[in-house]
Amino acid sequence: MNHLAKILKPLMMTILFVVTNCICAQSYHSSSKKAIKHFEKSRQEFLNENYESAMSSVNKALRCDDKFTDAYLLKAELYLELKEDSLAIESYENVFKIDSMSFPKSSIALAKLYSKGFQFDKAIDLLNWYLALDNQRESLRKLAEQQLSVISFQKSLVENPVDYNPENIGGVNTLADEYVNQYYVNEDKIIFTKRYKSDLEENPYLEENVFVTMKYDSLWSLPELLFDNLNDIGAANISADGDEIYFSASGWENGLGSCDIYYVIFKNGRWSNPINLKSVNTSGWESQPCVSHDGKELYFVRRNKKTGTSDIYVSKRSDEGKWQSADCLGPNVNTEGNEMAPFIHYDGRTLYFSSDTRLGMGGYDLFMSQRDDNGEWKESVNLGYPLNTYGDEINLVVLNDASKAYMSALRKEGNGGYDIYEFDLDENFRPRYVEVEKPSVEEYYADALERHNSVVLKNIYFDFDSADLREDSEGGISAVYDFLRLNPDKNILLEGHTDDVGSEEYNLLLSKKRAESVKSALINKGVSADRIKTKGCGSSQPLSTNNFADELKTLNRRVSMSLID
């Protein structure tokens, strides 16, 4: 059982004591028959999850007997269900003020709440008090000792915070859950899995798909599906050369288990059909693939059929290019709980992952393990507070520069579910810097147009309500010219776009003029006019939603390029 479950267990154990052991009046800490009657009604309503009615009845019990510790204990449990931690603390404290020995084991639950509110010293003192008592069950003593270790560790993290200033990446995030899978450096794009309710009016279900958002300067585009022809997939990862994409899918006809890892290959100008990675998949559950930068290792998560917990595994590629059967990473990474979302950095020796069992702030925390010169993984280290919190922090990816990082986390200030955040990783947890030679803009155009229908021209800028190229567009024009010069057999279609300010008729004309401006600039550099066609699209194909600030609308004032015969 993981740390979180062990810590939360006493919260249910205390009420379980009230429900199962306090059957006759002599078992209760009250002599008032009316109080006991209201209490028993409240207890039944609690079991039926009628919390409002249960709260009303327990308050009646306390009005009949304001020293009724059983009722205060039940009230604390009710507040926990209602996520009212401060009121739960107040009710637990009333139990101890009235009679600390009536329910001493509830100190474990109260200590947990203290630590959640950063009252670490109170929590530690309370647990030490409990551990000094005689005649307490050994299983509860072990639980208290474990929680004391966890809370002491949490205190040390909070007292030694890491450098962490996250920024929500904005319009990409929604009320649904967004889980970052990869930052693909070659094209400055984020690959992420989105978990959201289906469009079905009756019996909607949670659907998963992989999306892509492109970074233009410092702005993120509207997400698009990674695959047009594949649905209900997740956790995608692109190889460094861009020729392989790995992902997971559940319930497919050719699947070996409940969830399998698949991949597609780009060859002869097209993507292959999905291929089941049979050397890795089992009759169980495999997911969350991450291929190393050199393409020789594939990290993923496998779930244990017996325990239901998940561990991180690695498969190595043979000299013939075949993926081998996988090995578990061992106890310095994996625990008896859950490890998930492995990310192997470009340096090939630094692994980031999430765990709900290692010492941490609570929920899923982010950890790092580094491989030594003998190829062995070192003991994992917690990435610290306030990066890790009492909530869940998952799916960390770190760029090749060893500084910039992205993660998914559930935050009160977020957009709803799990959001993607950008931040600079604390220096204590950075991997080695790895130089990645990004393709030139003209190389990027050649590769992107082979794989996609169109591409947005880089470094081409227009002011609001203008079709005139800004002076800082010269580099962008030169890159398009170089692409055409290096590919004399290719002809292009330039499509102009606008934001949604103004009538659509006006925007169609403005967008056409923007495409013509780029064409004229290319002709002035020596490109034949016969090789370039133009079209205006108005505001019909936004890269960013137009209901945001003007800064984001600039993404929609653009020109895109596609190949034509």
Side-chain angles (χ1 to χ4, degrees):
M1 181 180 292
N2 59 54
H3 278 288
L4 183 61
K6 285 182 178 179
I7 292 170
L8 292 179
K9 186 178 179 182
L11 302 184
M12 296 311 299
M13 289 178 66
T14 50
I15 192 62
L16 185 64
F17 179 89
V18 174
V19 172
T20 59
N21 292 348
C22 302
I23 297 175
C24 59
Q26 289 85 344
S27 301
Y28 298 130
H29 298 82
S30 175
S31 58
S32 169
K33 292 182 178 179
K34 286 186 177 181
I36 292 171
K37 181 179 179 181
H38 289 307
F39 170 79
E40 289 181 335
K41 181 179 179 181
S42 176
R43 182 185 64 188
Q44 189 58 50
E45 294 291 353
F46 176 89
L47 292 175
N48 294 334
E49 299 183 0
N50 297 323
Y51 299 135
E52 185 176 346
S53 178
M55 186 66 74
S56 175
S57 295
V58 80
N59 283 332
K60 290 178 182 178
L62 288 169
R63 283 196 291 271
C64 295
D65 182 356
D66 62 359
K67 303 296 184 183
F68 193 1
T69 54
D70 307 65
Y72 279 115
L73 186 61
L74 178 55
K75 192 172 183 178
E77 299 289 350
L78 278 165
Y79 279 131
L80 285 174
E81 291 294 336
L82 298 171
K83 302 186 186 306
E84 296 280 0
D85 287 358
S86 60
L87 294 175
I89 288 174
E90 183 180 323
S91 293
Y92 275 125
E93 287 178 338
N94 281 329
V95 173
F96 284 92
K97 287 176 184 177
I98 295 167
D99 182 2
S100 61
M101 293 307 296
S102 58
F103 296 102
K105 64 183 177 183
S106 64
S107 60
I108 304 174
L110 179 54
K112 170 64 178 175
L113 290 173
Y114 280 151
S115 66
K116 192 175 179 181
F118 293 84
Q119 300 181 73
F120 298 114
D121 290 336
K122 268 190 173 184
I124 291 170
D125 289 345
L126 187 59
L127 289 171
N128 282 328
W129 168 83
Y130 176 78
L131 289 170
L133 297 177
D134 295 327
N135 302 320
Q136 298 301 306
R137 284 169 50 187
E138 187 61 27
S139 60
L140 290 176
R141 290 184 59 82
K142 288 182 179 179
L143 182 57
E145 289 170 351
Q146 181 193 47
Q147 191 169 347
L148 181 61
S149 175
V150 170
I151 292 174
S152 298
F153 183 76
Q154 291 172 345
K155 180 183 178 183
S156 68
L157 291 182
V158 172
E159 290 177 347
N160 299 277
V162 299
D163 184 17
Y164 173 63
N165 295 293
E167 290 186 10
N168 190 302
I169 67 171
V172 171
N173 293 316
T174 66
L175 291 172
D177 294 325
E178 286 82 23
Y179 304 105
V180 61
N181 300 138
Q182 183 182 21
Y183 187 103
Y184 191 61
V185 175
N186 290 7
E187 297 182 9
D188 285 320
K189 64 185 180 184
I190 283 180
I191 316 298
F192 68 96
T193 300
K194 184 174 180 177
R195 194 165 183 256
Y196 54 98
K197 286 186 178 179
S198 65
D199 294 332
L200 295 177
E201 293 185 7
E202 294 185 7
N203 301 320
Y205 64 95
L206 284 176
E207 187 174 356
E208 277 193 356
N209 269 311
V210 177
F211 290 80
V212 179
T213 178
M214 302 284 293
K215 193 173 189 179
Y216 297 99
D217 295 327
S218 61
L219 305 176
W220 294 99
S221 68
L222 282 172
E224 296 181 349
L225 285 169
L226 178 63
F227 298 110
D228 293 330
N229 59 338
L230 298 177
N231 287 308
D232 289 330
I233 65 171
N237 192 265
I238 305 175
S239 62
D241 61 11
D243 289 341
E244 297 174 336
I245 302 179
Y246 295 82
F247 60 92
S248 58
S250 300
W252 283 17
E253 289 184 4
N254 63 341
L256 300 182
S258 58
C259 184
D260 283 8
I261 296 173
Y262 295 81
Y263 66 103
V264 292
I265 303 173
F266 190 78
K267 193 173 183 180
N268 299 324
R270 62 182 297 272
W271 288 104
S272 70
N273 291 325
I275 304 166
N276 189 300
L277 194 57
K278 293 184 177 180
S279 59
V280 164
N281 294 319
T282 67
S283 60
W285 186 97
E286 283 80 24
S287 185
Q288 303 172 6
C290 179
V291 64
S292 62
H293 185 62
D294 62 9
K296 295 180 179 180
E297 293 181 321
L298 181 70
Y299 293 80
F300 66 95
V301 173
R302 176 175 289 164
R303 188 172 291 165
N304 187 305
K305 279 186 174 182
K306 293 182 179 180
T307 64
T309 57
S310 56
D311 286 332
I312 297 172
Y313 284 72
V314 61
S315 171
K316 296 186 178 181
R317 208 171 211 160
S318 68
D319 293 339
E320 293 75 29
K322 304 293 185 182
W323 291 110
Q324 307 301 298
S325 58
D327 296 317
C328 186
L329 291 195
N332 284 345
V333 172
N334 294 313
T335 66
E336 73 276 12
N338 294 287
E339 280 66 47
M340 59 176 285
F343 171 76
I344 185 70
H345 187 257
Y346 298 77
D347 67 3
R349 60 186 296 159
T350 306
L351 180 74
Y352 298 94
F353 63 96
S354 301
S355 175
D356 69 350
T357 303
R358 293 185 169 276
L359 285 177
M361 291 300 298
Y364 278 95
D365 276 15
L366 293 168
F367 293 83
M368 176 186 77
S369 178
Q370 292 187 304
R371 189 156 39 189
D372 62 24
D373 293 337
N374 295 321
E376 299 296 325
W377 292 104
K378 299 177 183 177
E379 181 64 33
S380 300
V381 294
N382 189 295
L383 296 191
Y385 172 86
L387 190 155
N388 287 318
T389 67
Y390 279 102
D392 290 337
E393 287 73 37
I394 53 178
N395 295 69
L396 177 74
V397 300
V398 183
L399 272 60
N400 61 293
D401 66 5
S403 173
K404 187 68 67 181
Y406 294 85
M407 75 167 182
S408 292
L410 195 62
R411 294 282 192 267
K412 288 183 179 179
E413 68 275 13
N415 288 14
Y418 286 90
D419 284 354
I420 300 173
Y421 291 85
E422 176 182 13
F423 60 98
D424 288 327
L425 195 61
D426 187 275
E427 291 185 357
N428 293 314
F429 306 112
R430 291 182 181 180
R432 294 180 180 179
Y433 174 87
V434 177
E435 183 71 35
V436 174
E437 185 177 351
K438 295 179 65 174
S440 65
V441 178
E442 52 268 30
E443 290 172 336
Y444 163 73
Y445 288 153
D447 184 66
L449 288 172
E450 183 183 13
R451 298 166 188 263
H452 310 291
N453 292 328
S454 66
V455 62
V456 175
L457 297 184
K458 292 191 172 186
N459 304 315
I460 300 292
Y461 304 108
F462 300 95
D463 287 325
F464 171 70
D465 197 27
S466 173
D468 296 330
L469 286 165
R470 287 183 1 199
E471 290 184 3
D472 53 353
S473 298
E474 177 57 33
I477 294 295
S478 295
V480 181
Y481 167 74
D482 288 339
F483 165 73
L484 292 171
R485 178 178 56 82
L486 294 170
N487 297 274
D489 59 329
K490 287 182 169 54
N491 300 321
I492 61 171
L493 171 66
L494 297 175
E495 295 179 297
H497 303 267
T498 70
D499 58 35
D500 67 342
V501 179
S503 69
E504 189 55 32
E505 182 180 4
Y506 179 83
N507 285 332
L508 280 171
L509 179 60
L510 177 60
S511 62
K512 173 73 170 177
K513 288 180 178 179
R514 285 176 173 170
E516 289 289 345
S517 293
V518 175
K519 178 178 179 178
S520 296
L522 293 170
I523 291 172
N524 291 337
K525 282 185 170 290
V527 179
S528 171
D530 294 337
R531 298 180 62 191
I532 307 172
K533 303 294 183 183
T534 61
K535 177 183 176 181
C537 298
S539 61
S540 63
Q541 301 173 29
L543 272 183
S544 176
T545 52
N546 281 298
N547 58 352
F548 282 104
D550 187 67
E551 179 189 24
L552 292 175
K553 288 186 177 183
T554 61
L555 283 180
N556 298 328
R557 303 165 196 156
R558 70 192 192 280
V559 173
S560 58
M561 175 173 63
S562 58
L563 299 179
I564 56 175
D565 296 331

